[in-house]
Amino acid sequence: MATITAAMVKDLRETTGVGMMDCKQALAENQGDMQAAIDWLRKKGLSKAAKKAGRVAAEGLIGAHTAGLKGVLVEVNSETDFVARNEQFQGLVKMVAQVALKVGADIEKIKAAKVGSVTVETAIADAIATIGENMTLRRAASLEVTKGVVSSYVHNAVIEGAGKMGVIVALESTGEADELAHLGRQLAMHVAAANPQALDPAGLDPTIVKREKEVLADKYRQQGKPENVIEKIVESGLKTYYKEVCLLEQAFIHDNAKSVAQAVKEAEGKIGAAVKITGFVRYALGEGIEKQESDFAAEVAAASGRK
C-alpha cells in the first residue's frame, strides 16, 4: 500500500480545493496517484466545490443552538440569499450548529466531526455540488456556564434557530430556571438591537478608548478650551460613550428608563438569586465580508458582444 504523506495531501488540496480528509481518502483509494485521485474526486462530485471556491459567499444563515448550560452560534455563508431559503441548506446550518455544541467552536474540529458516515466538511462539499453555489463555514462561537443558562435569540429567522442575525448570552445564577431563561432571551434581544461592543468599559479595546479620548480632546481644543477643562469634558464624554457601547450601561430596550445593569438587578427578585452576565456573542450575517458589486446591464452587454 502506498504511503500517503502530508505533503501529498496538501498538494491535492491546493490543486482541487477539496477538504483535507477527502483528499487523504482520494489518495489512499488510488495508491497515491495524484491524477487518479483528482479524477476520483471529480467522479464523487467534490471537484465541483473547488470550481466554486473563489466566489464570494456573503449571504447564508446564522445558526444558534443552546442546551442548558451551553450555547453556540455558527455562520454558514452562501453566494445568494436564494440559497438561504433552500431546505437542504437550512438543514445543513442546523446540523453544523448541533455539531458545534458537541465539539466546540474550533472551525477545523467542526469540519472534521462525523455526522453519520461523513464529515461536516464533506457534507458542505456535497451541498455545494448539489445546490451549485460556493458555501463556507465562516466562524463559530460558544459560551458555557457552570450554573445558570445560555439563552439565544435569532432575528429574521427563516426556520427555528437560523436567520440573518443570532445572539447568545450567558447568565450565571442559582436562581429559578424559567425566570432566568426569560431574562436571558430579553437580554439576547437587547444585544441584537443595541449591538454593544463589550460587557463593561473594562472589556473595551484600549486602542478604541484612546482614539475616542483623542477625538473628544481635539474637538474641544479647536474650540479654544483650556487643557484642564478639556480633561474634565473628555471624562464626561467617555461616560456618555460607555452608555452607548457597553452592555451593562446601555438603556434597556424593553424599558429605556433603566440601564441593563438595573434591569438585571431588578429581575433578581423574581429569579430568587444573584445574576451575572458572563458573556455574549452577536453575529450579523456577512459582516466584515467585502461583497462584489456587479453591473448587471454591463454583464448582459458584454455577453452579447456590445460595450
Side-chain angles (χ1 to χ4, degrees), residues 205-216 238 241:
D205 184 337
T207 59
I208 294 175
V209 176
K210 182 182 177 183
R211 186 172 70 242
E212 188 68 21
K213 290 173 75 172
E214 289 171 351
V215 168
L216 288 169
L238 279 177
Y241 174 67

Side-chain angles (χ1 to χ4, degrees), residues 131-151:
I131 297 172
E133 280 196 12
N134 187 29
M135 298 171 200
T136 58
L137 169 55
R138 182 188 177 203
R139 54 181 175 165
S142 66
L143 292 174
E144 190 170 1
V145 292
T146 54
K147 51 188 177 182
V149 69
V150 177
S151 296

Side-chain angles (χ1 to χ4, degrees), residues 101-182:
L101 193 71
K102 294 178 182 177
V103 304
D106 184 282
I107 294 296
E108 294 306 315
K109 286 183 179 179
I110 296 171
K111 287 181 180 179
K114 282 284 193 78
V115 180
S117 61
V118 301
T119 64
V120 169
E121 187 168 34
T122 299
I124 293 172
D126 288 345
I128 293 171
T130 303
I131 297 172
E133 280 196 12
N134 187 29
M135 298 171 200
T136 58
L137 169 55
R138 182 188 177 203
R139 54 181 175 165
S142 66
L143 292 174
E144 190 170 1
V145 292
T146 54
K147 51 188 177 182
V149 69
V150 177
S151 296
S152 66
Y153 169 69
V154 174
H155 188 63
N156 286 338
V158 294
I159 56 171
E160 185 181 357
K164 299 296 184 182
M165 181 187 293
V167 176
I168 50 176
V169 177
L171 301 180
E172 194 173 85
S173 178
T174 56
E176 207 278 319
D178 288 344
E179 289 293 342
L180 190 62
H182 175 68

Side-chain angles (χ1 to χ4, degrees), residues 63-67 70-74 94 97-99 101-102 150 152 154 161 168:
H65 193 52
T66 61
K70 190 174 183 181
V72 295
L73 287 179
V74 299
K94 289 195 74 169
Q98 289 165 0
V99 169
L101 193 71
K102 294 178 182 177
V150 177
S152 66
V154 174
I168 50 176

Side-chain angles (χ1 to χ4, degrees), residues 7-236:
M8 292 167 67
V9 175
K10 180 175 180 289
D11 287 344
L12 183 58
R13 182 171 186 172
E14 288 176 352
T15 300
T16 64
V18 177
M20 187 167 59
M21 298 303 293
D22 290 311
C23 287
K24 187 175 181 180
Q25 185 182 357
L27 287 164
E29 292 283 343
N30 294 280
Q31 292 74 50
D33 186 312
M34 185 67 71
Q35 188 56 56
I38 292 171
D39 292 343
W40 186 89
L41 288 169
R42 289 182 64 195
K43 290 172 185 175
K44 292 287 184 180
L46 297 175
S47 63
K48 291 181 181 180
K51 292 177 182 177
K52 297 172 176 66
R55 299 181 188 170
V56 175
E59 297 294 342
L61 289 171
I62 305 294
H65 193 52
T66 61
L69 301 175
K70 190 174 183 181
V72 295
L73 287 179
V74 299
E75 178 174 358
V76 183
N77 296 124
S78 60
E79 293 177 51
T80 65
D81 181 57
F82 179 76
V83 168
R85 299 191 292 274
N86 180 289
E87 288 186 5
Q88 182 184 353
F89 181 76
Q90 293 170 359
L92 177 71
V93 174
K94 289 195 74 169
M95 178 266 287
V96 170
Q98 289 165 0
V99 169
L101 193 71
K102 294 178 182 177
V103 304
D106 184 282
I107 294 296
E108 294 306 315
K109 286 183 179 179
I110 296 171
K111 287 181 180 179
K114 282 284 193 78
V115 180
S117 61
V118 301
T119 64
V120 169
E121 187 168 34
T122 299
I124 293 172
D126 288 345
I128 293 171
T130 303
I131 297 172
E133 280 196 12
N134 187 29
M135 298 171 200
T136 58
L137 169 55
R138 182 188 177 203
R139 54 181 175 165
S142 66
L143 292 174
E144 190 170 1
V145 292
T146 54
K147 51 188 177 182
V149 69
V150 177
S151 296
S152 66
Y153 169 69
V154 174
H155 188 63
N156 286 338
V158 294
I159 56 171
E160 185 181 357
K164 299 296 184 182
M165 181 187 293
V167 176
I168 50 176
V169 177
L171 301 180
E172 194 173 85
S173 178
T174 56
E176 207 278 319
D178 288 344
E179 289 293 342
L180 190 62
H182 175 68
L183 174 63
R185 181 166 174 80
Q186 283 193 317
L187 290 169
M189 292 173 73
H190 172 95
V191 170
N195 191 20
Q197 303 303 300
L199 184 63
D200 53 32
L204 288 170
D205 184 337
T207 59
I208 294 175
V209 176
K210 182 182 177 183
R211 186 172 70 242
E212 188 68 21
K213 290 173 75 172
E214 289 171 351
V215 168
L216 288 169
D218 287 345
K219 175 183 175 182
Y220 292 107
R221 282 193 191 101
Q222 290 174 19
Q223 295 177 9
K225 303 284 187 184
E227 286 298 320
N228 63 326
V229 173
I230 288 175
E231 189 176 339
K232 292 178 181 178
I233 296 174
V234 167
E235 288 304 314
S236 177

Side-chain angles (χ1 to χ4, degrees), residues 260-277:
V260 169
Q262 289 170 333
V264 171
K265 193 68 179 174
E266 189 176 287
E268 289 177 348
K270 287 185 178 180
I271 292 167
V275 177
K276 181 182 179 182
I277 304 173

